[in-house]
Amino acid sequence: LLLVNNEKQVKVKLVQMEPSTLASLTASEWELDLLAEPGVNFKELFPTTKPTIKFGKDGNASGNSGCNRYTGSYKLNGSTISIGAIAGTKMMCPSLEGENTYLKALSKVNKISVNDNVLTMIMGDIALLRFKKK
C-alpha cells in the first residue's frame, strides 16, 4: 500500500510482513527429501522411513532419524540456528548408515531458510538438508 501526496510523491509505503522464521519453523513437522552428501544415494540410505524434525517453540527439536527417535535443543536468531547435543533411542536397525549421515549433517547446520513448504538447513553457503512440510 502506498500513500502519496498531491504531487504523487510516496510518503508512506506499507508492505506485508513475512511471518517470523520461528512461527514458520514450528508450524509443522518436516520430512527430509534431500541430503547433500557426495556419493550418497538418498533412497538407499532411507529405504523405508525418511528422517523428520519438529521444532518446538520451547527450543527443543525432535524427530525420527530413519529408525530411532531423537531429541535435542536448538537456538534460533533470525536465520541463524545452532543445534545442541542430540540424544536418541537405541533400537535395533537394519543399518545405521543413513541415520548417522543425517545426524552428522544436522550437527553441522548453522543457518536455515523457510520458504512456503520447504525448510533448507545450511552450513555456511552450502545447503545440506532440505525438508518438506509433512
Side-chain angles (χ1 to χ4, degrees):
L1 175 65
L2 298 175
L3 299 177
V4 296
N5 63 13
N6 291 340
E7 289 82 38
K8 300 198 186 215
Q9 296 171 322
V10 175
K11 290 297 180 183
V12 177
K13 180 178 181 180
L14 300 174
V15 295
Q16 181 179 350
M17 296 295 293
E18 292 296 322
S20 76
T21 302
L22 180 61
S24 297
L25 189 63
T26 60
S28 68
E29 184 174 25
W30 302 90
E31 183 176 69
L32 187 70
D33 78 337
L34 176 75
L35 191 151
E37 184 74 30
V40 167
N41 182 314
F42 185 83
K43 288 182 182 180
E44 287 178 10
L45 285 181
F46 309 107
T48 57
T49 305
K50 294 178 186 176
T52 62
I53 192 164
K54 170 82 174 138
F55 293 92
K57 293 178 183 176
D58 61 357
N60 289 307
S62 61
N64 184 300
S65 52
C67 176
N68 287 291
R69 302 279 314 152
Y70 69 92
T71 186
S73 62
Y74 74 95
K75 290 182 183 174
L76 185 65
N77 183 5
S79 64
T80 301
I81 192 168
S82 61
I83 297 176
I86 296 172
T89 60
K90 301 283 185 190
M91 297 188 331
M92 193 164 166
C93 307
S95 171
L96 292 175
E97 183 182 0
E99 186 167 286
N100 291 337
T101 302
Y102 168 69
L103 293 173
K104 184 177 176 182
L106 190 60
S107 72
K108 294 178 184 178
V109 169
N110 59 12
K111 288 193 281 187
I112 60 166
S113 170
V114 182
N115 293 314
D116 297 324
N117 296 327
V118 178
L119 163 65
T120 305
M121 301 184 97
I122 304 158
M123 177 186 71
D125 294 334
I126 302 167
L128 295 180
L129 304 164
R130 185 181 68 205
F131 298 80
K132 300 250 171 114
K133 277 189 184 176
K134 203 168 172 191

